[in-house]
Amino acid sequence: MKSIQNILIAGSIMVLSGFTVQQSVQWEISNDYSIEFSATKAEGIFKTLKGEVQFDAQDLAASKFNFIIEVNSINTGNGIKNKHAKSDKWFDAEKYPNIEFKSNAFSKTEEAYSVRGKMKMHGIEKEVHIPFTYENNVFAARFSLNRLDYKVGTMEGSSKKVSNEIKLEVSIPVTKN
Amino acid sequence: MHGITAGILSALAGVVYLYVYQEAMYLDFNKVINMGSIAGASIFACMLMALGYALLERRKKSSLKAWLNMAIVLLSFLSILGPLSVTLPLDVESPELFPGLAIPMHFFPAMLFFGLSPFFIKNIHHAQSNN
C-alpha cells in the first residue's frame, strides 16, 4: 500500500514538474542578433552575446532573461577606439570581461513589455528597467544607460567628449528550443 | 611619363601588398579598399607630383624641387592620419589591423616617384641639351 502511495506521489511530482517546464518557454538565441550603442563621439556594436531566454507572454512570472555580453567583442569600426574602449580608462575588459543582465521581474506595458533586472558592468551592479517588444520571434529593445553610473570612462580630458547617456538598440531573434 | 609610370608601379605595389597582407593576416578589407581605389589613388597622387615637377620645370625653378620633395614627404606622413582615424563599417572584422594595411600604401606613390626620378630627370636634361 505504501509503495503505491510513493509511486503516486512520485508520479504527481513528475507530472507537475512537467507542467512547470512547459509553462516557461525556452528560447535559443539566433546568430543574427545585434547590440548597437551610440553616444556623442562613440558608436559601435558588441559582437558576442550569450544567454538564456525563457519567455511566455501568457506567463510573465515564469519568464527569465540572462544575458552575458563579452566586452572584448566591442567594435567601433576604429582600432584605436576599440583599444581605448577595452582599456582600464573605459570598460577595463581584462578585469571585467563581461556585461551581465539578469532579470528579476517582467510586466506588460501599454505598448509591449518591460523587464526589471540587474545590469552588471565594469564591476558595478545597478537595477534597470528595460522596455522591449516581442514580435515574430524577435525581442527588441531601445533604452539608455548612464555610463557614469557604472564608472565607465570619466568626464575629464577627452573622455568628456563622449556623452554620459549611451543609447542601446538591441535585437535578439530567437528560435524555440 | 614620370607620373604615369610611377603611378602604375605604385598601384601595382599597392595591390600586391593588399593581397599579401590580407592573405598573411587572414583579413578581408575588400569592402573598404580594393584594386580600383588603390590604382586610382596611386595614379592620381603620382600625376599630382609630376604636375608639380612640370610646373617647376616650366617656370625654370628646378632648384625648388627639393622643397617640393619635402612637401611630398610631409604630405605622405600627414596622410597616415586618414587610416588611423577612419571608422570602418561595423561588420568589417579587425579594424585595428587596417592601419597596417593602408599606411604603407600611403608612401608607395612618393617612393616610386622619387625612385624613378633619376631616369626621367636625366631624360629631361638630355632632351633640353639636345634642343
Side-chain angles (χ1 to χ4, degrees):
Chain A
M1 188 64 191
K2 203 164 185 180
S3 62
I4 292 172
Q5 203 176 2
N6 285 344
I7 289 167
L8 280 173
I9 290 168
S12 305
I13 289 168
M14 280 170 73
V15 169
L16 285 172
S17 64
F19 277 125
T20 310
V21 169
Q22 268 189 337
Q23 275 175 353
S24 54
V25 183
Q26 189 95 26
W27 300 88
E28 193 173 328
I29 299 170
S30 303
N31 287 332
D32 50 344
Y33 58 81
S34 73
I35 306 152
E36 298 172 14
F37 63 88
S38 62
T40 311
K41 297 276 181 190
E43 58 179 29
I45 56 170
F46 286 98
K47 290 185 286 185
T48 309
L49 168 80
K50 291 172 199 160
E52 184 188 354
V53 179
Q54 285 178 30
F55 184 76
D56 185 348
Q58 307 307 318
D59 187 8
L60 293 176
S63 299
K64 188 167 84 174
F65 286 170
N66 277 343
F67 294 122
I68 295 173
I69 297 168
E70 277 182 27
V71 173
N72 268 322
S73 73
I74 195 169
N75 185 15
T76 62
N78 180 282
I80 296 171
K81 284 185 185 173
N82 286 356
K83 201 174 170 187
H84 280 201
K86 292 173 197 174
S87 75
D88 57 0
K89 289 190 175 164
W90 289 87
F91 284 100
D92 199 353
E94 204 175 313
K95 199 170 175 187
Y96 309 107
N98 296 322
I99 296 168
E100 294 168 26
F101 177 78
K102 278 184 186 172
S103 66
N104 289 334
F106 287 78
S107 57
K108 181 98 179 78
T109 63
E110 270 182 35
E111 299 86 30
Y113 305 95
S114 176
V115 57
R116 186 163 50 83
K118 301 270 188 191
M119 179 79 79
K120 192 175 179 185
M121 189 190 313
H122 199 230
I124 295 169
E125 195 172 68
K126 295 263 174 194
E127 184 153 297
V128 292
H129 284 87
I130 302 174
F132 69 94
T133 58
Y134 173 67
E135 281 169 11
N136 304 320
N137 290 352
V138 178
F139 293 96
R142 278 183 188 187
F143 60 104
S144 296
L145 292 175
N146 187 334
R147 66 180 175 88
L148 297 181
D149 287 346
Y150 298 89
K151 293 190 168 48
V152 174
T154 60
M155 284 309 275
E156 290 164 7
S158 58
S159 300
K160 69 182 172 199
K161 289 179 187 166
V162 179
S163 55
N164 294 350
E165 191 192 13
I166 309 290
K167 289 177 188 161
L168 287 127
E169 205 170 321
V170 180
S171 170
I172 304 175
V174 289
T175 51
K176 217 163 230 176
N177 220 346
Chain B
M1 277 306 285
H2 184 183
I4 192 77
T5 311
I8 289 167
L9 289 177
S10 166
L12 193 66
V15 169
V16 169
Y17 182 62
L18 172 75
Y19 180 76
V20 169
Y21 188 83
Q22 293 200 130
E23 284 294 311
M25 307 293 273
Y26 302 101
L27 296 168
D28 182 8
F29 287 123
N30 289 326
K31 211 170 186 177
V32 284
I33 190 166
N34 55 45
M35 283 167 62
S37 60
I38 292 169
S42 300
I43 292 169
F44 178 73
C46 287
M47 291 305 282
L48 267 184
M49 294 174 208
L51 182 69
Y53 266 50
L55 285 175
L56 291 180
E57 288 283 346
R58 185 167 288 181
R59 295 188 178 186
K60 301 196 186 306
K61 289 183 176 170
S62 294
S63 57
L64 291 180
K65 274 185 187 169
W67 290 107
L68 178 61
N69 287 355
M70 288 304 293
I72 291 168
V73 169
L74 188 66
L75 284 174
S76 297
F77 266 108
L78 288 176
S79 74
I80 70 173
L81 292 174
L84 284 174
S85 59
V86 72
T87 298
L88 304 183
L90 296 174
D91 56 345
V92 174
E93 297 283 335
S94 308
E96 50 278 3
L97 296 176
F98 181 72
L101 171 67
I103 288 173
M105 288 187 191
H106 281 228
F107 293 98
F108 289 171
M111 271 171 56
L112 267 298
F113 191 83
F114 295 151
L116 293 173
S117 276
F119 297 107
F120 290 93
I121 287 170
K122 194 175 155 190
N123 286 346
I124 290 166
H125 291 318
H126 190 66
Q128 280 174 345
S129 60
N130 281 345
N131 289 337

